[in-house]
Structures are given as C-alpha cells and as structure tokens.
Amino acid sequence: MSSDRLAVRKTYKLYVGGAFPRSESGRTYEVTDAKGHFLANAAWASRKDARDAVVAARAAFPKWAAATAYNRGQVLYRVAEVMEGRHVQFCEEVALGEGLSASKARAAVDAAIDRWVWYAGWTDKLAAVLGGANPVAGPYFDFSTPEPTGVVAVLAPQQSSLLGLVSVLAPVLATGNTAVVVTSKERPLPAVTLAEVLATSDVPGGVANLLTGDAAELGTWLAEHADVDAVDLTGAPANRAMEFEREAAGTIKRVVRPPLAEPDWTADPGLTRMTPFLETKTVWHPIGL
C-alpha cells in the first residue's frame, strides 16, 4: 500500500448544548504542538457562541440541579470510565500540546482521570460535610443544606490542558451547577477530546459547554452576562482579570480570582473549588406538640 497519502487536516468544532456546532462567525485558528508544528484547526468562538452556550447551560440547570447527588456522582464517574477508554489519545494530545515526555504526559492523564473520580465521589457527601442541623432556641428544627448557584463561566488554565481543565470543570458539575468553559487557546485538543467524552457519556446536553478561542475576548462577554451566576477566572489573562472582576460585579456574580502563580494541579484540592459555587439554604420547621 502506498504511503503517499494526503494529510487529513482536522477542523474541530465547539461543544454547546450536547452538539458540535461550528462557530457562527466561521472563524478558525491553527493549533500547533510545542515545537510549532501544525496539529489541527479549532473553532474560534464568538460572542454569539458564548451566548448560545449560556442559554444551553441555563436550560440544562433545573434538571441537573434537581438530580439526586448519588445520580450525579454516577454520571460523573461514567465520564472517568470513558476517559480511561481514550487514555492513549489523551496522552498523545497532552504530550504534543505541552511538550511533555510520554511518561509525564501519562502521569498527567492518570491524574486527570483520578481527579474526575475524586470529584464524582464527593457529590453525595457535600451535604453531610457542609450542611447540618443548627442548634436554635425555640420549638423548631433548623437545617442548613448546600445548593448549586446556577450557571458558572470558567476560564480554564492556559498551561495545563487536561489536568487543569478537569480540576476547574469537575467541581462545578459535581456541585450541581452547569458550566460554560473557555478552554486553553494554545492547547485545546485535550478539551476537544473531553467534549467528545462528555457527549458519549451520560452527562445531559447543556450541562457542560466547551468553547475554544480566546479567553481575553470571551471572558469579557461571560463576565458581564446577566444570566451567568458565577465566574472562575483561573485562566484569565493577568492584565485582564481585574477588568473581568469589575464587569462581573455589575450583575453581582460570585467570582473565583485567578491564582498569583500557576497552581500545582497535582496537589489535593480539598473543597476549595466546590464551595464557591454553592449557596447555603436554611430551613426552619416547627416541632409538633
């Protein structure tokens, strides 16, 4: 068989509402590996794409938030199972995008899958850890329980293309929120593959929406969007983060500020990425005589 074949150049799409649309602007950009060699074309999401993603996330929120914590955990665990099945592909994309050796890329992918499993296991434990019965004076029961905030916009880390992405996306979904994620611009291929995993697992369409493109451009529109309830600025450009925070304040959003330095994504995250996207509901109930 002849080896003289034309290269099949891939053009990846966005992931919005459980489907893979092209950017309405028609824009794409070239994705290269760490050495500058062409890998694929990715869609460059526009303001309209971001708005469509928010609409999809809002529509999916009531059902996802109303699902039992146990069910959400099972759904998220299924994502980890499908990721495991595409382990080789993830390793190749992480190695090419981040310029890592095969062993280091494999370690990063293993950590990303383990991190997804870890968050899946927390779904039905948060209420016990963060809620409880409150001691009050009077003939009342008083209970506090955590509830999801709503639609969360996430600017994913720009350097850690898979482990960092999972570390900011999984806690949003585990707490019952829906997400609109702007992926790493220079290293989007692991995110594209993760979108394919989400589409072929049990995650309902619209619960997670992934946009490839420029965080500096999309961040402004998501931060000021009135139907976004919270924004995670982890992957925001350093010179734009404060601007995004001011824009988010206009609609009283919850804001997770970007770290001062690139985090160690392999470290135990604790609950610090889940609690910002939870609200505490307190219920009083009279004690019958």
Side-chain angles (χ1 to χ4, degrees), residues 166-222:
V166 167
S167 297
V168 296
L169 172 59
V172 173
L173 304 188
T175 49
N177 298 284
T178 55
V180 176
V181 184
V182 181
T183 71
S184 168
K185 180 183 178 183
E186 304 299 329
R187 305 167 178 180
L189 297 192
V192 172
T193 301
L194 180 61
E196 294 173 355
V197 167
L198 294 169
T200 53
S201 61
D202 300 327
V203 179
V207 168
N209 305 273
L210 277 67
L211 306 175
T212 51
D214 190 354
E217 180 180 325
L218 295 169
T220 296
W221 301 324
L222 291 171

Side-chain angles (χ1 to χ4, degrees), residues 249-266:
T251 49
I252 321 178
K253 289 180 176 60
R254 291 172 175 249
V255 175
V256 173
R257 290 176 170 173
L260 297 178
E262 182 70 14
D264 176 9
W265 294 111
T266 63

Side-chain angles (χ1 to χ4, degrees), residues 106-129:
R106 185 167 55 253
V109 174
D110 289 345
I113 296 173
D114 291 348
R115 180 62 48 81
W116 199 281
V117 172
W118 190 85
Y119 277 115
W122 266 106
T123 57
D124 58 357
K125 301 170 182 64
L126 284 171
V129 175

Side-chain angles (χ1 to χ4, degrees), residues 35-268:
K35 296 181 180 179
H37 301 138
F38 176 85
L39 293 176
N41 295 302
W44 192 316
S46 67
R47 182 176 187 175
K48 175 65 163 56
D49 297 321
R51 291 169 60 191
D52 290 345
V54 173
V55 169
R58 178 57 64 190
F61 174 68
K63 185 175 180 180
W64 182 244
T68 66
Y70 176 80
N71 177 250
R72 281 201 302 270
Q74 291 295 298
V75 169
L76 295 182
Y77 187 81
R78 177 58 183 162
V79 174
E81 291 180 330
V82 181
M83 288 178 70
E84 189 69 50
R86 302 185 72 162
H87 193 283
V88 173
Q89 182 180 359
F90 275 122
C91 287
E92 180 180 358
E93 291 172 346
V94 170
L96 289 173
E98 299 184 22
L100 300 178
S101 65
S103 60
K104 289 184 178 180
R106 185 167 55 253
V109 174
D110 289 345
I113 296 173
D114 291 348
R115 180 62 48 81
W116 199 281
V117 172
W118 190 85
Y119 277 115
W122 266 106
T123 57
D124 58 357
K125 301 170 182 64
L126 284 171
V129 175
L130 301 178
N134 306 312
V136 295
Y140 306 101
F141 291 120
D142 185 71
F143 304 99
S144 292
T145 58
E147 292 191 343
T149 294
V151 175
V152 181
V154 180
L155 304 186
Q158 296 298 304
Q159 303 302 314
S160 183
S161 58
L162 182 64
L163 177 54
L165 171 64
V166 167
S167 297
V168 296
L169 172 59
V172 173
L173 304 188
T175 49
N177 298 284
T178 55
V180 176
V181 184
V182 181
T183 71
S184 168
K185 180 183 178 183
E186 304 299 329
R187 305 167 178 180
L189 297 192
V192 172
T193 301
L194 180 61
E196 294 173 355
V197 167
L198 294 169
T200 53
S201 61
D202 300 327
V203 179
V207 168
N209 305 273
L210 277 67
L211 306 175
T212 51
D214 190 354
E217 180 180 325
L218 295 169
T220 296
W221 301 324
L222 291 171
E224 67 184 14
H225 198 300
D227 210 23
V228 172
D229 301 296
V231 59
D232 183 344
L233 300 177
T234 295
N239 62 342
R240 300 291 300 280
M242 185 56 68
E243 174 190 340
F244 294 164
E245 191 170 343
R246 286 195 296 266
E247 289 165 346
T251 49
I252 321 178
K253 289 180 176 60
R254 291 172 175 249
V255 175
V256 173
R257 290 176 170 173
L260 297 178
E262 182 70 14
D264 176 9
W265 294 111
T266 63
D268 184 348

Side-chain angles (χ1 to χ4, degrees), residues 6-67:
L6 291 176
V8 180
R9 296 200 165 197
K10 298 179 180 179
T11 299
Y12 292 107
K13 302 175 184 177
L14 309 172
Y15 182 58
V16 176
F20 292 91
R22 302 181 189 276
S23 171
E24 62 83 29
S25 68
R27 298 182 300 172
T28 61
Y29 68 98
E30 289 190 356
V31 179
T32 60
D33 64 17
K35 296 181 180 179
H37 301 138
F38 176 85
L39 293 176
N41 295 302
W44 192 316
S46 67
R47 182 176 187 175
K48 175 65 163 56
D49 297 321
R51 291 169 60 191
D52 290 345
V54 173
V55 169
R58 178 57 64 190
F61 174 68
K63 185 175 180 180
W64 182 244

